[in-house]
Every structure is written in C-alpha cells, then in structure tokens.
Amino acid sequence: MNVLDNRGLEPPQPMMRTLAALTKMKDDEVLTIINDRRPMFLYEQLEELGYKQRTEEQSDGSFKIEIFR
C-alpha cells in the first residue's frame, strides 16, 4: 500500500505531491493520502484524470483519502 502523509504542508504542496505520486502508480494500485484538511480542489483533478476516491475523516480531524482507478 502506498501512503503519502501530507500533514503539516501548506497548499498547494499536498495536491502537487499527490498528483506526482499518481503518475508513478499502476492502474491496480491504491494511493492513500493523509491531509490536514479536506482536499476540495484535488477531487476535481481526480475526476478529470479518471480516478475515484474514498474520503474518511479521522478522529484527530485529519482526512484519509484512498485514490484508485
């Protein structure tokens, strides 16, 4: 499982790191990212690129997002 911890980074770094990681993924892989905030702008990008996502708010207020084809 690929996990990218984006906590503590200021926008747009989390989105840029996430999109860069997606370019290295195979179609059957899942990328899990952890962000301080809900990545509203990332969702639009993912949809345009043909990815799906599952977002889950964590008990500490961060967000875990699983990205897959």
Side-chain angles (χ1 to χ4, degrees):
M1 180 161 88
N2 301 317
V3 178
L4 189 59
D5 189 344
N6 290 323
R7 289 176 289 188
L9 299 175
E10 289 298 316
Q13 282 184 315
M15 185 160 88
M16 292 173 65
R17 289 181 79 213
T18 300
L19 293 174
L22 288 174
T23 65
K24 300 171 188 157
M25 271 183 37
K26 296 181 178 123
D27 282 346
D28 62 342
E29 290 183 307
V30 175
L31 174 65
T32 300
I33 63 170
I34 303 170
N35 283 16
D36 289 322
R37 36 186 101 60
R38 190 180 296 270
M40 300 311 293
F41 295 112
L42 177 63
Y43 295 142
E44 296 170 21
Q45 291 287 321
L46 293 175
E47 190 173 323
E48 286 178 21
L49 294 169
Y51 288 97
K52 296 180 174 141
Q53 58 77 27
R54 199 170 23 248
T55 300
E56 186 179 302
E57 187 169 1
Q58 303 299 292
S59 59
D60 66 358
S62 66
F63 290 86
K64 177 175 118 181
I65 301 99
E66 295 174 328
I67 303 168
F68 53 94
R69 287 260 185 212

